[in-house]
Amino acid sequence: MTPPHVPSLESLSINGGSSFRLPPSPNIPGIQLHDENSRAQPVRRDTRPLKSTDTDVEVTVTYPSNDEHYISLNKLLRRHARKDSAGETFWPMRLLHLILTPKRVHNALTSTECFGIDEQQIDTYCKAIAPDNPSFPGSKYTKIFANLILLGKGKHFSILFQHRISDDCLPLVAIANGDDSGLGLSHEQGIHPFFTQCNWGDPAIDNFVTYQRGLSPQYFGLDKENKAQHFEIRTRTILPWLRTYKEEDAGGYSTVRRYLMDPESHGFHDTLRSITLNGDCVAVKSIKTASHNKNWLDEVKMLRRFSGKDHPHLITLLCSYTMDGTNHLVFPCAKMDLDRYWEEMESPIRGPGHIDVIRMRWVSKQIQGLMEALKFIHDPQKQLLDAENMFGRHGDLKPQNVLWFQSPSDKHGILVITDLGLAEVHRDQSKSNIPNQQVPVTPGYRPPECDIEGGKLSRAFDIWTMGCMLLEKICWLLGGQDMREDFENDRMSVYVTGALTPIFFDIQQIDETRSYVVMVKESVFEWMELLLRSESCTAFIRDLVHLIHDKLIVVLSPSTLRGRAEDILKAVDAIHNSATNEANLDYIRKPVPEKCILPRRLAVEVDLNSTAKTSINNARTRGAAVAKFNGEPGEVSRVSKADFENAQGE
């Protein structure tokens, strides 16, 4: 079956061709010879336990020890075979190199396993089966020989060698012969005559085809520049998942499932060790339908532009692959997302005078890291994009899109921004020209421009959502998950659709003109004041709340602009420097409640877009009405479409 076509990806190296075979030579343009060809170092131990930190179930893989030279290769191959999560047996190439050592192969060729083989050719056969340098450019016969040993037909190796049926010929396919004499084996060069010389019956040929699947599992690795690459994988190829965990709906257009990978079937060891303590566990994001292929292509491009290799608080794409018409992305496996972290983890603040300074500094460091990552997306280094005047934005920041990894570099872990499915990069003349009403966004963090005529997915969009997330984080710090839920409940109001939502802004109608105004919800201001009055509010929290009020959760108008990522990061840097200043521990430890009334900004009179107007009209037919604006005319700032577009910035 021909692998499904995948549109080309910008700067994405494609490892094309059959996944049943290794690349025939290392000099294919744009393609690196997989390091699965390299011979692994001898393993002295017999077993290796693999354990994901997400589960108590331990999976053990075995390796041949140096004292197993005199066990038959058939038994050795079966003893150390891997089992995937569906129970299928497979042997990764690295494992074959560990089993089929030159000494063991020589012993097998001179034993009853290969009785009758041409003894004068044994040295030649050994070099073809177990070469000293497995990456040499000639044909190899490692999988062919292993298959014959498993079949109990090692004596026929010389016939296959004579006909040059090497690993490069795989996969062979069982087909019916024209003379009705049974099955034959074929590949693109046609039917091979060797099976008549071997006098194989149909069962042996069927078993040969079965074993070759197990001897050609998929290998995943980085390209020669140590970057993620794409794989097109044949139908029925065995994927190296030793254990499969429960599938989770990632929302939108994808699902996510965690897998424990066979350690000899991937080249991500250094990358995974630098990011997570989750061992060989990976998360695979699968696209639900072909209609979302463009989203997938866009996300791959963004993931390659903005990677954890460039900033530690951005997710690292390990690879992508297409199989049976479905597209997949492979990532390191996180312990949980930020939403679940808030639910399960205790706050470092357990009341006045009971503040865990070390964890509070970790919280400060993570806020700084997330803001750095967002600034990196908004203003990427030009060398990453190979173009000048390029700007990016994420488009869907929320707790579910921030992952917590158990990190080898920090015992408290690290928070990482993920899910770049809605992210975009634009040149300065077109970076903000996407109508927001056409983009699915998290209802609770939906910024006002989604409903305003001229609203665009600008970088200011991310600043609003970051502000929402940080304000919820402060609720968790001061009162745990209970306070966060109370804050959400107090934000609940009837949206223009007629449904209750916890968005952070209100749309209200002015009676006299039947026009509409947008403003930050009064409950949001009241909660900011409540957090500042808390008996556990430190100077660290106070400064964060004021920053959110002044620069992040702001309805845009010519006179009220949100801060740019660069300016907000400078403020966050100053806060973090104060939080880590040993000479001023009181900044992060001593409560300094502040009783104040935060300034309310003018309501902004706007023209709603057609989607919002339609929602209002539909809600009216169901008896739901938009709230009336009770303020004075002087409390309203009128904004034209042109002014609003300018206020959003780039």
Side-chain angles (χ1 to χ4, degrees), residues 569-588:
L569 178 58
K570 289 179 181 178
V572 169
D573 284 343
I575 291 172
H576 182 64
N577 289 337
S578 297
T580 53
N581 184 356
E582 291 294 339
N584 187 20
L585 276 174
D586 285 348
Y587 181 81
I588 201 163

Side-chain angles (χ1 to χ4, degrees), residues 202-462:
D202 291 355
I205 290 178
D206 285 338
N207 288 335
F208 182 95
V209 172
T210 298
Y211 281 130
Q212 76 176 351
R213 283 190 65 236
L215 291 164
S216 300
Q218 181 61 40
Y219 179 88
F220 292 109
L222 301 172
D223 67 13
K224 61 183 178 181
E225 296 179 351
N226 218 29
K227 294 182 178 180
Q229 61 180 325
H230 180 74
F231 297 85
E232 293 188 27
I233 302 177
R234 286 181 179 269
T235 297
R236 300 191 71 240
T237 299
I238 294 177
L239 300 178
W241 316 137
L242 297 180
R243 184 167 294 278
T244 304
Y245 302 98
K246 182 180 178 182
E247 184 176 76
E248 301 173 7
D249 193 327
Y253 67 99
S254 62
T255 59
V256 174
R257 188 187 291 273
R258 292 176 297 125
Y259 298 95
L260 183 62
M261 292 186 76
D262 170 62
E264 305 305 328
S265 298
H266 70 86
F268 305 133
H269 299 285
D270 291 342
T271 301
L272 290 174
R273 278 195 296 266
S274 69
I275 295 172
T276 177
L277 298 177
N278 241 1
D280 296 285
C281 194
V282 295
V284 178
K285 180 177 180 179
S286 303
I287 312 309
K288 291 178 180 178
T289 63
S291 62
H292 290 108
N293 278 345
K294 183 182 183 302
N295 302 71
W296 175 77
L297 290 168
D298 290 343
E299 184 167 5
V300 171
K301 291 177 182 178
M302 294 302 295
L303 286 165
R304 288 178 62 82
R305 283 182 171 128
F306 304 115
S307 166
K309 294 181 182 295
D310 302 309
H311 195 284
H313 291 271
L314 291 173
I315 193 67
T316 298
L317 176 68
L318 298 174
C319 70
S320 60
Y321 68 93
T322 299
M323 186 175 183
D324 295 331
T326 301
N327 297 315
H328 309 267
L329 302 168
V330 182
F331 302 98
C333 187
K335 180 71 173 178
M336 62 185 75
D337 63 28
L338 183 57
D339 190 58
R340 183 176 155 197
Y341 183 91
W342 286 339
E343 292 176 357
E344 297 189 5
M345 299 295 188
E346 287 188 357
S347 166
I349 300 177
R350 295 182 294 278
H354 296 85
I355 297 177
D356 185 334
V357 173
I358 293 177
R359 283 194 66 209
M360 281 297 296
R361 285 175 169 170
W362 175 82
V363 169
S364 176
K365 180 181 177 182
Q366 299 311 301
I367 293 174
Q368 180 190 45
L370 293 176
M371 200 62 228
E372 282 180 351
L374 184 60
K375 194 262 181 185
F376 184 79
I377 293 174
H378 283 193
D379 298 292
Q381 299 176 21
K382 292 177 181 178
Q383 60 265 30
L384 288 180
L385 297 172
D386 298 322
E388 296 184 356
N389 300 322
M390 298 291 284
F391 300 89
R393 50 89 180 154
H394 184 280
D396 197 19
L397 283 176
K398 56 183 178 180
Q400 294 84 355
N401 285 342
V402 174
L403 301 179
W404 179 64
F405 285 89
Q406 291 178 302
S407 170
S409 60
D410 192 324
K411 68 177 183 179
H412 298 295
I414 185 172
L415 296 178
V416 173
I417 294 174
T418 187
D419 200 346
L420 300 180
L422 294 179
E424 289 283 353
V425 172
H426 301 281
R427 296 186 185 276
D428 54 359
Q429 70 268 26
S430 63
K431 53 187 164 286
S432 304
N433 62 356
I434 302 175
N436 281 344
Q437 65 266 27
Q438 297 179 6
V439 179
V441 294
T442 305
Y445 287 4
R446 184 181 179 90
E449 48 264 39
C450 289
D451 300 303
I452 300 174
E453 186 66 26
K456 302 169 184 178
L457 274 179
S458 66
R459 293 181 289 180
F461 185 105
D462 288 337

